[in-house]
Amino acid sequence: ETGVTQTPRHLVMGMTNKKSLKCEQHLGHNAMYWYKQSAKKPLELMFVYSLEERVENNSVPSRFSPECPNSSHLFLHLHTLQPEDSALYLCASSQDPQGLAGEQYFGPGTRLTVT
Amino acid sequence: AQTVTQSQPEMSVQEAETVTLSCTYDTSESDYYLFWYKQPPSRQMILVIRQEAYKQQNATENRFSVNFQKAAKSFSLKISDSQLGDAAMYFCAYRSARSGSARQLTFGSGTQLTVLP
């Protein structure tokens, strides 16, 4: 369970705050992902980075800003969030391009609460 | 766009018994991958089993097996000899095999499995 780590595990922030979520993978992968998991809804893919280049951005509001400085690290910068942004944010990594063996490995998530 | 449907929000099974979780999906593609992921409470999501659409043989991993019905677009998970540690949220997921779309996993809404001692 230490292949993909995320910090912090829990975060409470006000709507005017700025915070960042961090993800680190120790698997030698070259693709990383941010997902949003809300209660009773399917996981929603937010961003995909492959070889440190953003390759997918699924209509995510600009108050979420990803950053991938290298293939092992991924950040999600948060600012002026809304209460409906409260959710579990999951990071994942994989080897890209993916065949069947390119499964995604998930981190434990950051539980975000926006007050 | 592909969609994945899990019609059972909650299921329960007696320890040592067998349970089947349902999943259906909608796609116009012929080549794709299907997955079952397990998310225990407050723990990481892990891959349980995977299936390549072009393979007719159902995948099996120890006590976990799938019933893949491509024509019906059905992909159910069977857990045999259920154990307390199997209690978790189970997600069915779809991934295209088409180049350029192969990164995105489409998830169902999940089935919460409770194992009763």
Side-chain angles (χ1 to χ4, degrees):
Chain A
E1 294 190 356
T2 58
V4 181
T5 57
Q6 291 186 242
T7 54
R9 294 294 304 274
H10 301 272
L11 178 63
V12 179
M13 60 186 289
M15 289 190 284
T16 58
N17 291 158
K18 290 184 180 180
K19 296 286 184 183
S20 296
L21 310 185
K22 179 182 176 182
C23 175
E24 186 173 357
Q25 60 95 2
H26 310 274
L27 301 168
H29 290 161
N30 59 10
M32 298 187 76
Y33 311 75
W34 279 117
Y35 287 89
K36 177 183 179 182
Q37 185 178 20
S38 304
K40 302 189 186 303
K41 291 179 65 176
L43 273 76
E44 303 170 56
L45 179 66
M46 301 175 71
F47 301 104
V48 181
Y49 276 82
S50 177
L51 298 171
E52 302 147 44
E53 180 182 346
R54 190 190 311 179
V55 294
E56 289 192 38
N57 176 347
N58 285 2
S59 303
V60 179
S62 60
R63 56 185 184 269
F64 295 91
S65 175
E67 178 189 1
C68 187
N70 55 62
S71 59
S72 299
H73 294 85
L74 183 66
F75 295 89
L76 187 63
H77 304 299
L78 316 171
H79 65 98
T80 60
L81 294 191
Q82 303 298 310
E84 59 265 28
D85 296 324
S86 298
L88 182 68
Y89 288 84
L90 294 171
C91 174
S93 72
S94 72
Q95 191 60 27
D96 197 49
Q98 295 181 30
L100 184 62
E103 65 186 71
Q104 294 182 21
Y105 291 78
F106 286 82
T110 295
R111 174 68 63 185
L112 173 67
T113 303
V114 181
T115 60
Chain B
Q2 294 83 19
T3 58
V4 177
T5 302
Q6 293 178 249
S7 59
Q8 307 153 313
E10 297 176 349
M11 291 279 286
S12 62
V13 62
Q14 207 72 36
E15 196 175 4
E17 296 294 310
T18 296
V19 65
T20 299
L21 308 184
S22 301
C23 173
T24 58
Y25 57 94
D26 188 26
T27 183
S28 58
E29 298 178 336
S30 59
D31 197 13
Y32 47 87
Y33 306 114
L34 296 165
F35 306 85
W36 278 99
Y37 279 87
K38 168 185 177 182
Q39 187 178 36
S42 302
R43 296 183 65 186
Q44 284 164 265
M45 183 141 35
I46 58 173
L47 181 66
V48 174
I49 198 166
R50 56 194 171 201
Q51 175 82 41
E52 298 150 284
Y54 66 85
K55 287 190 175 178
Q56 292 187 338
Q57 186 173 4
N58 289 323
T60 299
E61 288 286 342
N62 300 315
R63 298 182 294 105
F64 298 87
S65 61
V66 298
N67 184 4
F68 174 48
Q69 302 289 328
K70 190 172 184 179
K73 297 180 182 174
S74 171
F75 183 61
S76 60
L77 175 70
K78 186 171 82 171
I79 306 174
S80 305
D81 185 25
S82 297
Q83 301 175 0
L84 295 177
D86 295 333
M89 181 73 85
Y90 286 82
F91 292 96
C92 178
Y94 169 102
R95 177 159 64 83
S96 170
R98 186 161 49 94
S99 175
S101 302
R103 300 182 186 94
Q104 181 157 349
L105 277 173
T106 301
F107 285 86
S109 55
T111 297
Q112 181 67 51
L113 178 66
T114 300
V115 180
L116 304 169

